[in-house]
Amino acid sequence: MGEQLRIVISGGGTGGHIFPAVSIANAIKNRFPDAKILFVGALGRMEMQRVPAAGYEIKGLPICGFDRKNMLKNVVVLYKIWKSQRMARKIIKEFKPMAAVGVGGYASGPTLNTCAKMGIPCLIQEQNSYAGVTNKLLAKKAQRICVAYDGMERFFPADRIMKTGNPVRQALLDTKMTKEEALGSFGLKPEHRTILIVGGSLGARTVNESVLQHLDLVEQSGVQFIWQTGKYYNAAIMEQLKAHREIPNLKVTDFISDMGAAYKAADLVISRAGASSISEFCLIGKPVILVPSPNVAEDHQTKNAMALVEKDAALYVKDADAPEQLLKLAVKTVKDDKALARLGENIKKLALPDSADIIAQEVIKLARKGR
């Protein structure tokens, strides 16, 4: 490219925003190893730890969301937005990016708005089937909008949309473990079917309750379970498990560091319906029962899940119904060879590989124009 490539990437708040952002940065670095990439996140949010851990510099803005329950608190929020806009302008003027990438989350608003006003070309990446508020506002100023689902012209200008899929953690796809080795790493046996239960790094209360209420079913199922409780719930769950006799076919952990091994070991996964997780299941062709979180904006996880259910590519249990239905359905499904094969084949058809590389290529094109 001649001149050193400089890209700013902004957003975060959840792993579902951060994983794609880091994957895009890595893909740009693979093409241009000397590229300068600066992240802009929200102070106090997880990107402030996760991005430096991935090897990238990040600047934090004091921005936060509006409080819909206590309107008086929003006076402070408005001040933080104003301050974040001033800080974003200073960051952009000093860094001089050739293009900007927004992945959703509070910080991407002031960052990409500032870039657009300064004539820096912008790309936004929307992970979900229902667009987030920040991305809907930024779309008017973005030259390219990368999406993972059909029908996104409901939210964005159709002529700027590009269906790329969601970038995922490369380590999940690169694992060299056999299934037997993966099972062995969890102390499990290769002759038994295995269900992986995950609720995100913090955990999912309803999913955890669904297991606790059916420990006898777990014990008598003839199936092995890997249960990631999440760090928030782990201590209380371990206390409750002490009151029950030991269950050898149940492996409980607060956090799984090697998700590639966990997915390899599993015949069936129980999960929330975050966009990044769904993209991972599609790429590895893993049968899944989705339990969408009801505590997300615009109920977008249910919309994510139904996009798969409508194509017979996943099973769905409503959060409110999970304590009664989830474990019974999971045990029944994992023992059904035809159901597992059908779900695995159908979800694999929805995979969009090389997402990070495709998006990186678009960013580089915009940077060339932006010079």
Side-chain angles (χ1 to χ4, degrees), residues 148-358:
Y149 292 89
D150 293 324
M152 298 303 286
E153 59 276 2
R154 291 176 294 159
F155 310 107
F156 304 130
D159 60 333
R160 289 180 239 164
I161 292 174
M162 183 175 186
K163 189 177 176 185
T164 60
N166 288 324
V168 302
R169 294 170 284 185
Q170 194 61 36
L172 299 179
L173 308 178
D174 291 344
T175 182
K176 299 294 191 291
M177 276 189 179
T178 64
K179 184 172 183 179
E180 289 71 21
E181 289 169 341
L183 286 164
S185 72
F186 288 98
L188 298 173
K189 299 174 182 176
E191 60 267 25
H192 294 305
R193 293 285 167 89
T194 303
I195 297 173
L196 170 65
I197 304 167
V198 289
S201 57
L202 294 178
R205 183 178 60 81
T206 307
V207 173
N208 288 337
E209 283 298 322
S210 301
V211 181
L212 287 171
Q213 291 180 26
H214 295 281
L215 292 175
D216 289 338
L217 172 60
V218 169
E219 187 176 15
Q220 297 159 16
S221 65
V223 173
Q224 301 175 133
F225 293 81
I226 303 168
W227 180 16
Q228 179 186 278
T229 62
K231 294 183 178 181
Y232 183 80
Y233 298 100
N234 188 255
I237 286 170
M238 297 310 290
E239 277 299 313
Q240 290 182 67
L241 289 175
K242 283 180 186 176
H244 197 283
R245 59 185 171 275
E246 187 180 350
I247 306 174
N249 59 322
L250 177 64
K251 303 298 175 183
V252 185
T253 181
D254 64 338
F255 180 74
I256 298 170
S257 56
D258 189 351
M259 284 303 298
Y263 285 152
K264 182 73 78 169
D267 297 288
L268 176 71
V269 180
I270 293 171
S271 173
R272 288 303 201 190
S276 288
S277 296
I278 286 176
S279 294
E280 291 170 359
F281 302 141
C282 291
L283 283 165
I284 60 178
K286 190 61 63 175
V288 61
I289 300 175
L290 297 170
V291 187
S293 170
N295 307 311
V296 293
E298 308 289 353
D299 196 24
H300 69 250
Q301 285 204 5
T302 297
K303 297 175 176 75
N304 291 348
M306 296 315 296
L308 271 67
V309 172
E310 288 164 3
K311 295 177 180 175
D312 196 21
L315 300 178
Y316 158 71
V317 174
K318 190 176 179 181
D319 187 81
D321 298 333
E324 179 58 32
Q325 298 177 11
L326 181 58
L327 262 288
K328 295 172 189 174
L329 176 62
V331 170
K332 178 185 173 186
T333 303
V334 82
K335 294 179 179 180
D336 186 335
D337 291 348
K338 289 183 178 177
L340 289 179
R342 185 185 76 250
L343 290 168
E345 287 169 12
N346 289 344
I347 199 168
K348 187 85 172 172
K349 291 174 187 173
L350 303 180
L352 292 167
D354 306 319
S355 298
D357 288 331
I358 294 166

Side-chain angles (χ1 to χ4, degrees), residues 88-105:
R89 183 168 180 80
K90 184 172 185 289
I91 290 166
I92 299 306
K93 284 182 78 172
E94 289 176 357
F95 184 65
K96 299 182 175 65
M98 298 171 178
V101 179
V103 295

